[in-house]
Amino acid sequence: MQNFEYCTPTRLIFGKGVIEKLPGVMAQFGKKILLTYGGGSIKKIGLYQKVLELLKGFEIVELPGIQPNPKYDPSVLDGVRLCKEHKVDVILSAGGGSVLDCSKAIAAGACYEGEPWDLISYKVQATSALPIVDILTLAATGSEYDCGGVISRTETNDKIGYIDPLLFPAVSFLDPVYTFTVSKGQTAAGIADAMNHILEQYFCEDATLMNDGFCEAGLKSLMVNGMKCLENPEDYTARAEMMFVCTLACNNIMSLGNSESGWPMHGIEHALSGYYDITHGWGLAIITPRWMQHILSERTLPRFVKYGVNVFGIDTSLDPWEIARKAIEETYKFFESIGIPMHLRELGIDNSRIDEMAHHVAVNEGLENAYVPLTEQDIRKILIKSL
Ligand code: NZQ
Ligand code: ZN
């Protein structure tokens, strides 16, 4: 077991109707709020109106229009400018992971005099950040309980995971009812994203029994409850458990003491959404079985057998290689069964930029140190198999 430090300072307020606590929570941080949101879903579900009604006594500045795969320019830059101009005390993010990730970069940028990209690209370490409160409307990323935000810079095809303990949300409101309206496609993407967060932690050299059990239960819960959410989008129990597992899946709590895996599938997917602006969870679902096939070897076989037996209930009397291959096949079939297009070509990606993306990943993602080290050539092969 490896040494570790763990601290998640985020207060989770979970369940139906918890939004009523919003005024009391916001009052702890001040009077001037930057309200961030996306393309309008919060208005359709009545959350925008509810927030304004609850926060009548506060001064609210708005940053609307944050896109999926949030962009540095204009969203982060506009948010930082608004915070500085209005001397904002606290950011309130209402939406999915993209709105929250963008809010995290704004929170740090607002307390820094230079170009915010210096922070996101790790050229400069932030020394402070504005507090962030979020109301989550989509279960997927776990951004509500972690200290990372992923920001895209269109002109350079960069999609960077900006991680800093200063970026943990102070408070996350998690009401599963707000996720009832999430489309089937985005629900499936959320299931795949959270499953992949767990797989990125599960596939490592040195793992504890406790963590393996935690991860296996998380994967099974996401498959069972995710499927129920797709069948009946207003199934509160299923939406609630899915939201809860997604929240736990990305803050490392499921792999404390395990060895590092290097998160290789995320490294590769960030290039796909950086170059082609595709939905993150779909990209991951496509990469996952191809990465699995690529790294299956004598060394990794026992891990795949454990995964196949404990997650998919594959017959233990079969040959280990057969169990491993079936486990990969089951993974593929599950993603396909929830409606995810399983080939990059279906998302408009052909082979014209594969070499460029493989190079970008090899240079920027450090995958030579992953659980199974990946060279530029390995990354290229995985991308080609995914076409
Ligand atoms: O923009 P609006 O109108 O709000 O619509 C959004 C958006 O079009 C919509 N939506 C959100 N809540 C809804 C809803 N539609 C109906 N009803 C609701 N209740 O869903 C669409 C997608 O939203 P988005 O926020 O982009 O999805 P998600 O939460 O999956 O976030 C994806 C982003 O998070 C990053 C990804 O790379 C991607 O940029 N990630 C962040 C991580 C983190 N911070 O830890 C980890 C992840 O690995 C991931 O990389
Ligand atoms: Zn992810």
Side-chain angles (χ1 to χ4, degrees):
M1 193 163 168
Q2 314 287 312
N3 295 0
F4 67 85
E5 274 190 36
Y6 174 75
C7 174
T8 298
T10 304
R11 175 177 164 203
L12 297 179
I13 306 184
F14 187 100
K16 210 178 273 186
V18 292
I19 192 76
E20 299 300 334
K21 295 187 179 168
L22 187 66
V25 165
M26 297 310 290
Q28 298 167 39
F29 301 106
K31 278 275 169 207
K32 286 192 188 164
I33 300 172
L34 178 73
L35 172 63
T36 54
Y37 55 97
S41 69
I42 66 159
K43 292 188 175 167
K44 286 195 198 121
I45 64 177
L47 175 58
Y48 173 80
Q49 297 79 341
K50 182 75 185 172
V51 166
L52 293 192
E53 183 193 311
L54 286 169
L55 299 182
K56 268 194 185 120
F58 292 79
E59 192 180 318
I60 298 183
V61 181
E62 296 189 23
L63 176 68
I66 297 173
Q67 294 167 5
N69 298 322
K71 312 296 180 282
Y72 177 66
D73 187 0
S75 296
V76 174
L77 291 176
D78 283 351
V80 168
R81 185 180 42 76
L82 287 171
C83 286
K84 288 182 176 173
E85 259 174 38
H86 296 271
K87 297 195 171 36
V88 159
D89 298 313
V90 52
I91 300 177
L92 176 60
S93 158
S98 293
V99 175
L100 180 48
D101 283 7
C102 186
S103 305
K104 288 177 176 179
I106 295 169
C111 300
Y112 174 63
E113 283 314 312
E115 164 83 12
W117 192 253
D118 295 347
L119 306 172
I120 297 166
S121 61
Y122 299 102
K123 202 171 119 197
V124 175
Q125 171 82 41
T127 50
S128 61
L130 290 178
I132 302 158
V133 175
D134 66 273
I135 307 163
L136 194 71
T137 62
L138 194 162
T141 64
S143 187
E144 66 278 15
Y145 203 44
D146 72 28
C147 61
V150 189
I151 302 297
S152 295
R153 196 162 187 178
T154 316
E155 68 271 26
T156 52
N157 301 306
D158 278 312
K159 187 172 182 194
I160 296 188
Y162 172 35
I163 300 171
D164 189 310
L166 290 168
L167 305 182
F168 277 110
V171 183
S172 290
F173 284 88
L174 305 173
D175 184 338
V177 173
Y178 291 134
T179 69
F180 283 1
T181 49
V182 176
S183 68
K184 282 195 191 310
Q186 286 296 338
T187 299
I191 298 166
D193 188 20
M195 283 179 68
N196 192 275
H197 294 161
I198 298 179
L199 292 169
E200 297 272 34
Q201 297 171 77
Y202 187 79
F203 281 92
C204 67
E205 193 60 45
D206 178 18
T208 62
L209 267 180
M210 154 74 194
N211 290 341
D212 281 352
F214 201 173
C215 288
E216 288 156 5
L219 289 166
K220 286 194 278 194
S221 168
L222 285 168
M223 288 194 282
V224 170
N225 289 296
M227 200 58 105
K228 287 185 185 169
C229 294
L230 290 168
E231 280 160 13
N232 175 9
E234 301 201 2
D235 179 337
Y236 179 83
T237 309
R239 287 283 193 191
E241 188 166 331
M242 178 173 163
M243 193 173 216
F244 177 54
V245 180
C246 289
T247 296
L248 295 182
C250 202
N251 94 335
N252 288 331
I253 197 171
M254 300 176 111
S255 55
L256 297 175
N258 285 5
S259 54
E260 291 289 334
S261 73
W263 287 59
M265 295 174 275
H266 272 69
I268 299 174
E269 199 294 316
H270 282 168
L272 291 174
S273 40
Y275 277 70
Y276 290 94
D277 213 357
I278 62 168
T279 299
H280 172 66
W282 289 8
L284 287 172
I286 296 171
I287 295 294
T288 303
R290 279 71 182 214
W291 170 81
M292 288 178 162
Q293 281 158 356
H294 190 82
I295 66 145
L296 177 59
S297 69
E298 203 73 58
R299 177 188 150 219
T300 60
L301 181 63
R303 217 66 206 125
F304 280 98
V305 170
K306 190 166 197 194
Y307 170 61
V309 169
N310 292 346
V311 176
F312 293 106
I314 298 171
D315 184 354
T316 48
S317 67
L318 294 174
D319 173 71
W321 289 94
E322 197 179 343
I323 296 176
R325 278 192 281 268
K326 272 186 184 295
I328 298 172
E329 206 180 295
E330 290 296 332
T331 309
Y332 184 102
K333 282 202 301 210
F334 175 74
F335 290 141
E336 196 175 40
S337 76
I338 58 173
I340 297 182
M342 287 303 287
H343 293 271
L344 293 178
R345 286 187 194 281
E346 292 171 74
L347 304 182
I349 301 176
D350 60 16
N351 61 5
S352 60
R353 301 187 82 181
I354 295 280
D355 290 348
E356 203 185 327
M357 287 194 289
H359 183 70
H360 191 97
V361 174
V363 171
N364 294 300
E365 299 287 342
L367 300 187
E368 67 279 6
N369 300 317
Y371 163 53
V372 174
L374 299 178
T375 62
E376 185 169 329
Q377 195 53 9
D378 293 312
I379 297 160
R380 197 173 158 273
K381 282 185 187 158
I382 294 168
L383 286 169
I384 286 173
K385 275 190 202 152
S386 305
L387 283 170

